[in-house]
Each structure stands twice: as C-alpha cells, then as structure tokens.
Amino acid sequence: MPENVLITGGAGFIGSALARRLVAAGHHVTVLDSLLAQVHGDDPATTSPLLQSLNGVAEVQVGTVTSTDDLRRALTGATIVVHLAAETGTGQSMYEIDRYVEANVGGTAKLLNLLTNEPHSVRRVIVASSRSIYGEGAYRTASGEVVFPPHRSAEDMATGDFDVHMPGEGVLTMIPTPETALLHPSSVYGITKQSQEALILTTAPAIGVEAVSLRYQNVYGPGQSLKNPYTGILSIFSTLIRQGKAINIFEDGQESRDFVFIDDVVEATYLACVTPGASGSVMNIGSGVPTTVTEVVDALFRAFGTTVPVTVSGNFRVGDIRHNIADMTRSHDVLGFTSRVGFDEGIKRFVAWVRSEPLEEDGYERSLEEMAVRNLLK
C-alpha cells in the first residue's frame, strides 16, 4: 500500500537517494531540508546536485526541524517519518555545541511534541542513529570476557599509545559491537545522536507510533559531499589526491571503521519503512567488515591510479574512537538485510563518480585549524 513518507534532511546524501528508492517503489515523498550551505553551497538551486536530483521525484519544502511551523507543514498527510535531519561531524560538534544540540536534540523534541499534541496520520518514525553512540564499542579480554572500555586518554595518545585499555586488563581484542552494547559516546555529536534515539524510542510508542532506530556506520559513495570537510576521510582524501596534496594520516593509521556503501544504507532504510516486523527495533546498519585508514588510502591510490605523499603523523582528534565494527545479526534477522557492495567495489564506484565532479576547495585545512586553536587537535 503506498505510503506518504516525510524525510527530514531529505535533500542530503542519504535522504535524496532514499527518496528516489521510495518513489520508485510507488510511495509519495515529501522532503524537509534547510539546505545548509555547508552541504549544498550558497545557491542550492544551482550548486546542489543532491537537491537537483529530487526534481520531479519529491515535494521539497525548504525549512528546518528547529521550526515548529516548518515541521507542522511538512507533516501534513505523512504516514511515515524518516528522521535524518541532523548536524553531522564529530570534530565540529566539539566546538559548535549549541548548534548541534539545538538541531539534533531540539529538532527531535519539536517533532515529537507535534506528534504528541496535535492531530496527525504518522504511524511509524525511523530515526537515523549512529555508531558514534557506542564510544569505543565492544572488545574481548585475554580471558574471553566481553567488555566496553572507557574513552582513550589524551595523555596516552600524546605518547603514541593509541590502543584501547582497561584497568587491570592486558591486550584487548576488538569484536563486532552488538546493539546491546554500553552506550557511552565520546563526542558531542554522539551524545546528540543518543539523545535523538532515546527520545524517539521512548516517546513514540507511548503515543501509539511505531519507532525504529538505525545505527548507521560510516556511509560513503556517489553523492557524498566533496566540499564539506566534516563528511569523512574518503571525501577528504579523494580531494587531496586530486589536488596532488600530501595526506596526513592521524594516529598510527591502524584505526578502523565499518564502511557501508550508500546503496546498501538506502536499501536497509527502505526495508525499515516497509517491514511490519521492524517496529520497536534498534539495528546496526553497516558491512560488519573493518577497514583501517591505511587500507583506505591504499584503496584510493589503486582506484585513482596515482599516489601522493603520505605522512603517518601521530596527530589525533579529541573525541575520535579507535575501532567500531557493527554486529549485523539483528538487521539481517529483522529486515533480511545484508550489505552487498564490498569495500573494493564501493571505492571503484565512488572514485569513478568523484572523477566526474568539479574539483572544489573543501575547507579541510581550515577545519583542522579550527580544531587546533581550541586544543581539540593534538
């Protein structure tokens, strides 16, 4: 049966692709997006391919989740809400705290306040959560105990010790993090994502609305912003390679992430919209495969067919984690979801797309300076 789907933040990387998937399946989509210049450029109608990709696909309403009036208008007739709207970026969140909390927590509160106090037709809300809420994630001790270690200390990392430790324990081995893991985010961004998730999982069922939380891992692929310096290392490193500039790898290059291709994330989110049994579920959405930063650089060099100088500097950012790989059991059991695009194939598709895009100044150096002056980059 066709649904009327509201996607907050729907003109972004994930939202625009999801809108196309939903419409192709016969659903009607409304997008609410503030068209932030950091993502869409100063004149989104001409500078945002993501926005342009929604022409003839979705009804786009320019507005913000921090405005009750904008939300009320966008909610008209909606049966499903996919709540993607959020300020993103671990590093930036550590010094633009008020903006991140207002948008991510305040916007979610306004959405729920409307659903609680005014008539509506919404039956399900899917919230985009994040792997950042796990902090350092799950590890196993030498004796086989599963533990959730505290955040790494700046003092240890300043000496070049980037590993994760626990008092009284020896070497810890990273294992896939399940949804039952301890939630203890290490950044303001992570705190706001945990708050978004908790607000929706607590409030929605209390008012008779189904709730689903998807904990996205590191999403990448065609359409990802190449000029937003807070979108992740694949975009940042790709731009540096095209510019012929050196790459500075933080820590020792052995930190790892779970990279998941945009097509897989869109399919998982689509399934969360239409699968009856998903109601009440909290699920990781990733590949379940760890990839180190050094491996990322090597893969990009292969795909571009060129190299640039690389320095493994030992620099580190306050709030970054060492590893976090998703346990994908639950999303497979509930949604039937399995990531289909491996990292090597995904990088080939990503780089092929990057080559077709104009080379723009990305502001990466400026973002590092902003962190360094606040003592958040060491």
Side-chain angles (χ1 to χ4, degrees):
M1 184 174 181
E3 302 280 0
N4 292 321
V5 184
L6 167 63
I7 309 176
T8 68
F13 174 39
I14 298 172
S16 57
L18 175 62
R20 295 191 295 274
R21 174 68 178 91
L22 285 162
V23 170
H27 305 288
H28 177 269
V29 174
T30 299
V31 161
L32 176 67
D33 202 294
S34 63
L35 302 181
L36 189 69
Q38 182 172 293
V39 177
H40 296 279
D42 295 328
D43 180 19
T46 59
T47 59
S48 176
L50 294 175
L51 176 61
Q52 294 162 19
S53 74
L54 294 174
N55 290 338
V57 173
E59 175 191 343
V60 178
Q61 298 185 14
V62 179
T64 172
V65 292
T66 59
S67 165
T68 297
D69 288 341
D70 291 347
L71 273 170
R72 181 184 291 115
R73 183 178 68 252
L75 280 167
T76 302
T79 56
I80 293 176
V81 176
V82 182
H83 187 39
L84 300 179
E87 298 288 353
T88 61
T90 299
Q92 189 182 46
S93 77
M94 299 297 287
Y95 58 90
E96 295 201 17
I97 300 164
D98 182 61
R99 180 162 74 94
Y100 272 69
V101 172
E102 180 183 14
N104 298 4
V105 181
T108 303
K110 281 182 169 58
L111 170 64
L112 290 167
N113 200 62
L114 282 171
L115 295 180
T116 300
N117 294 297
E118 298 188 9
H120 63 84
S121 51
V122 175
R123 64 173 187 81
R124 177 174 290 189
V125 176
I126 295 101
V127 60
S129 188
S130 167
R131 55 96 184 155
S132 64
I133 70 176
Y134 293 125
E136 292 294 346
Y139 284 75
R140 182 175 284 117
T141 67
S143 63
E145 180 185 3
V146 174
V147 294
F148 307 105
H151 311 313
R152 298 177 295 168
S153 73
E155 291 75 20
D156 284 345
M157 291 193 285
T159 68
D161 180 3
F162 301 112
D163 287 327
V164 177
H165 304 287
M166 284 191 73
E169 297 290 349
V171 175
L172 299 176
T173 301
M174 181 269 295
I175 61 174
T177 300
E179 293 84 353
T180 53
L182 176 69
L183 305 183
H184 59 151
S186 59
S187 67
V188 172
Y189 171 70
I191 292 168
T192 66
K193 297 307 285 186
Q194 182 182 2
S195 297
Q196 277 189 312
E197 178 183 283
L199 282 166
I200 285 176
L201 291 177
T202 299
T203 307
I207 60 173
V209 175
E210 298 174 349
V212 182
S213 178
L214 303 180
R215 294 175 179 171
Y216 294 146
Q217 305 298 302
N218 288 65
V219 187
Y220 75 101
Q224 188 170 354
S225 176
L226 298 174
K227 56 190 174 187
N228 182 355
Y230 308 101
T231 55
I233 60 173
L234 287 171
S235 291
I236 292 167
F237 288 172
S238 292
T239 298
L240 292 173
I241 291 169
R242 295 179 78 194
Q243 293 171 334
K245 294 181 179 179
I247 291 175
N248 175 10
I249 296 180
F250 290 173
E251 301 189 16
D252 59 1
Q254 296 309 299
E255 60 273 29
S256 65
R257 297 292 184 269
D258 184 333
F259 291 95
V260 57
F261 196 66
I262 180 63
D263 292 5
D264 287 328
V265 170
V266 166
E267 189 61 22
T269 309
Y270 171 77
L271 290 171
C273 290
V274 301
T275 302
S279 177
S281 296
V282 177
M283 292 170 281
N284 290 328
I285 303 299
S287 68
V289 178
T291 304
T292 68
V293 174
T294 299
E295 290 171 336
V296 166
V297 173
D298 289 343
L300 287 171
F301 284 169
R302 289 194 302 272
F304 276 106
T306 189
T307 63
V308 297
V310 175
T311 300
V312 181
S313 64
N315 293 137
F316 61 92
R317 299 188 310 176
V318 175
D320 273 356
I321 61 169
R322 181 64 167 171
H323 306 291
N324 198 306
I325 310 304
D327 183 324
M328 295 301 298
T329 304
R330 186 179 293 178
S331 59
H332 180 268
D333 290 348
V334 174
L335 300 177
F337 170 74
T338 300
S339 175
R340 296 182 181 277
V341 182
F343 188 68
D344 286 343
E345 175 61 25
I347 285 293
K348 290 177 184 176
R349 296 190 200 179
F350 174 68
V351 168
W353 169 77
V354 168
R355 289 182 182 277
S356 70
E357 293 296 298
L359 181 58
E360 300 182 87
E361 179 57 45
D362 65 349
Y364 177 55
E365 288 83 2
R366 184 185 70 252
S367 72
L368 296 182
E369 292 170 2
E370 290 174 351
M371 294 197 69
V373 77
R374 295 167 173 84
N375 205 33
L376 296 169
L377 174 65
K378 310 285 188 179

